[in-house]
mmCIF file of all heavy atoms in Angstrom:
data_model
loop_
_atom_site.group_PDB
_atom_site.id
_atom_site.type_symbol
_atom_site.label_atom_id
_atom_site.label_comp_id
_atom_site.label_asym_id
_atom_site.label_seq_id
_atom_site.Cartn_x
_atom_site.Cartn_y
_atom_site.Cartn_z
ATOM 1 N N SER A 13 4.906 -7.383 -9.162
ATOM 2 C CA SER A 13 5.225 -8.412 -8.166
ATOM 3 C C SER A 13 4.645 -8.077 -6.802
ATOM 4 O O SER A 13 4.340 -6.903 -6.498
ATOM 5 C CB SER A 13 6.753 -8.530 -8.145
ATOM 6 O OG SER A 13 7.207 -8.986 -6.890
ATOM 7 N N GLY A 14 4.446 -9.085 -5.956
ATOM 8 C CA GLY A 14 3.941 -8.885 -4.602
ATOM 9 C C GLY A 14 2.460 -8.599 -4.617
ATOM 10 O O GLY A 14 1.739 -9.007 -5.567
ATOM 11 N N GLY A 15 1.963 -7.923 -3.612
ATOM 12 C CA GLY A 15 0.524 -7.599 -3.535
ATOM 13 C C GLY A 15 0.106 -6.706 -4.705
ATOM 14 O O GLY A 15 0.737 -5.705 -4.976
ATOM 15 N N ARG A 76 4.005 -14.215 -5.459
ATOM 16 C CA ARG A 76 5.102 -14.204 -4.481
ATOM 17 C C ARG A 76 5.954 -15.405 -4.778
ATOM 18 O O ARG A 76 5.441 -16.491 -4.930
ATOM 19 C CB ARG A 76 4.503 -14.209 -3.092
ATOM 20 C CG ARG A 76 3.705 -12.960 -2.785
ATOM 21 C CD ARG A 76 3.519 -12.706 -1.337
ATOM 22 N NE ARG A 76 3.292 -11.287 -1.052
ATOM 23 C CZ ARG A 76 2.076 -10.743 -0.966
ATOM 24 N NH1 ARG A 76 1.004 -11.462 -1.061
ATOM 25 N NH2 ARG A 76 1.948 -9.425 -0.732
ATOM 26 N N CYS A 77 7.246 -15.202 -4.854
ATOM 27 C CA CYS A 77 8.121 -16.309 -5.273
ATOM 28 C C CYS A 77 9.288 -16.417 -4.304
ATOM 29 O O CYS A 77 10.259 -15.665 -4.380
ATOM 30 C CB CYS A 77 8.597 -16.020 -6.715
ATOM 31 S SG CYS A 77 9.750 -17.276 -7.287
ATOM 32 N N PHE A 80 12.919 -17.242 -5.695
ATOM 33 C CA PHE A 80 13.718 -16.118 -6.201
ATOM 34 C C PHE A 80 14.644 -15.562 -5.171
ATOM 35 O O PHE A 80 15.657 -14.953 -5.475
ATOM 36 C CB PHE A 80 12.749 -15.053 -6.748
ATOM 37 C CG PHE A 80 13.444 -13.835 -7.317
ATOM 38 C CD1 PHE A 80 14.045 -13.905 -8.557
ATOM 39 C CD2 PHE A 80 13.464 -12.645 -6.616
ATOM 40 C CE1 PHE A 80 14.684 -12.753 -9.074
ATOM 41 C CE2 PHE A 80 14.084 -11.512 -7.117
ATOM 42 C CZ PHE A 80 14.695 -11.585 -8.371
ATOM 43 N N LYS A 81 14.305 -15.750 -3.873
ATOM 44 C CA LYS A 81 15.138 -15.189 -2.801
ATOM 45 C C LYS A 81 16.360 -16.063 -2.584
ATOM 46 O O LYS A 81 17.293 -15.670 -1.919
ATOM 47 C CB LYS A 81 14.343 -15.162 -1.486
ATOM 48 C CG LYS A 81 13.165 -14.211 -1.508
ATOM 49 C CD LYS A 81 12.558 -14.192 -0.100
ATOM 50 C CE LYS A 81 11.201 -13.576 -0.068
ATOM 51 N NZ LYS A 81 10.541 -13.710 1.216
ATOM 52 N N GLY A 106 5.932 -3.566 -4.114
ATOM 53 C CA GLY A 106 6.187 -2.949 -2.823
ATOM 54 C C GLY A 106 7.594 -3.204 -2.336
ATOM 55 O O GLY A 106 8.484 -3.517 -3.121
ATOM 56 N N ASP A 107 7.747 -3.138 -1.004
ATOM 57 C CA ASP A 107 9.126 -3.211 -0.471
ATOM 58 C C ASP A 107 9.821 -4.549 -0.724
ATOM 59 O O ASP A 107 11.012 -4.612 -0.966
ATOM 60 C CB ASP A 107 9.188 -2.845 1.006
ATOM 61 C CG ASP A 107 8.250 -3.666 1.877
ATOM 62 O OD1 ASP A 107 7.427 -4.402 1.313
ATOM 63 O OD2 ASP A 107 8.387 -3.581 3.097
ATOM 64 N N GLY A 108 9.078 -5.667 -0.692
ATOM 65 C CA GLY A 108 9.646 -6.993 -1.010
ATOM 66 C C GLY A 108 10.149 -7.008 -2.463
ATOM 67 O O GLY A 108 11.285 -7.432 -2.736
ATOM 68 N N THR A 109 9.347 -6.492 -3.351
ATOM 69 C CA THR A 109 9.743 -6.424 -4.737
ATOM 70 C C THR A 109 11.028 -5.600 -4.933
ATOM 71 O O THR A 109 11.879 -5.959 -5.741
ATOM 72 C CB THR A 109 8.589 -5.751 -5.550
ATOM 73 O OG1 THR A 109 7.425 -6.571 -5.400
ATOM 74 C CG2 THR A 109 8.898 -5.569 -7.022
ATOM 75 N N GLY A 112 14.054 -7.583 -4.084
ATOM 76 C CA GLY A 112 14.383 -8.444 -5.226
ATOM 77 C C GLY A 112 15.091 -7.623 -6.316
ATOM 78 O O GLY A 112 16.067 -8.102 -6.932
ATOM 79 N N ASP A 115 18.658 -7.169 -5.443
ATOM 80 C CA ASP A 115 19.422 -8.394 -5.682
ATOM 81 C C ASP A 115 19.787 -8.563 -7.156
ATOM 82 O O ASP A 115 20.861 -9.046 -7.488
ATOM 83 C CB ASP A 115 18.627 -9.636 -5.195
ATOM 84 C CG ASP A 115 18.625 -9.754 -3.687
ATOM 85 O OD1 ASP A 115 19.342 -8.955 -3.048
ATOM 86 O OD2 ASP A 115 17.914 -10.591 -3.132
HETATM 87 P P1 ADP B 401 5.576 -6.547 -1.910
HETATM 88 O O1 ADP B 401 6.462 -6.260 -3.102
HETATM 89 O O2 ADP B 401 4.156 -6.168 -2.188
HETATM 90 O O3 ADP B 401 6.143 -6.007 -0.637
HETATM 91 P P2 ADP B 401 6.438 -9.214 -1.105
HETATM 92 O O4 ADP B 401 7.048 -8.792 0.169
HETATM 93 O O5 ADP B 401 5.610 -10.472 -1.082
HETATM 94 O O6 ADP B 401 5.483 -8.122 -1.765
HETATM 95 O O7 ADP B 401 7.611 -9.436 -2.159
HETATM 96 C C1 ADP B 401 7.316 -9.785 -3.499
HETATM 97 C C2 ADP B 401 8.374 -10.704 -4.028
HETATM 98 O O8 ADP B 401 9.641 -10.013 -4.048
HETATM 99 C C3 ADP B 401 8.652 -11.952 -3.224
HETATM 100 O O9 ADP B 401 7.748 -12.984 -3.435
HETATM 101 C C4 ADP B 401 10.042 -12.346 -3.710
HETATM 102 O O10 ADP B 401 9.960 -12.976 -4.978
HETATM 103 C C5 ADP B 401 10.710 -10.969 -3.885
HETATM 104 N N1 ADP B 401 11.468 -10.660 -2.654
HETATM 105 C C6 ADP B 401 10.986 -10.257 -1.466
HETATM 106 N N2 ADP B 401 11.974 -10.145 -0.558
HETATM 107 C C7 ADP B 401 13.130 -10.451 -1.190
HETATM 108 C C8 ADP B 401 14.514 -10.532 -0.847
HETATM 109 N N3 ADP B 401 14.906 -10.238 0.391
HETATM 110 N N4 ADP B 401 15.408 -10.923 -1.778
HETATM 111 C C9 ADP B 401 14.969 -11.209 -3.043
HETATM 112 N N5 ADP B 401 13.708 -11.150 -3.443
HETATM 113 C C10 ADP B 401 12.789 -10.798 -2.555
#
Side-chain angles (χ1 to χ4, degrees):
S13 153
R76 295 200 156 95
C77 177
F80 179 74
K81 294 185 195 172
D107 56 349
T109 299
D115 285 354

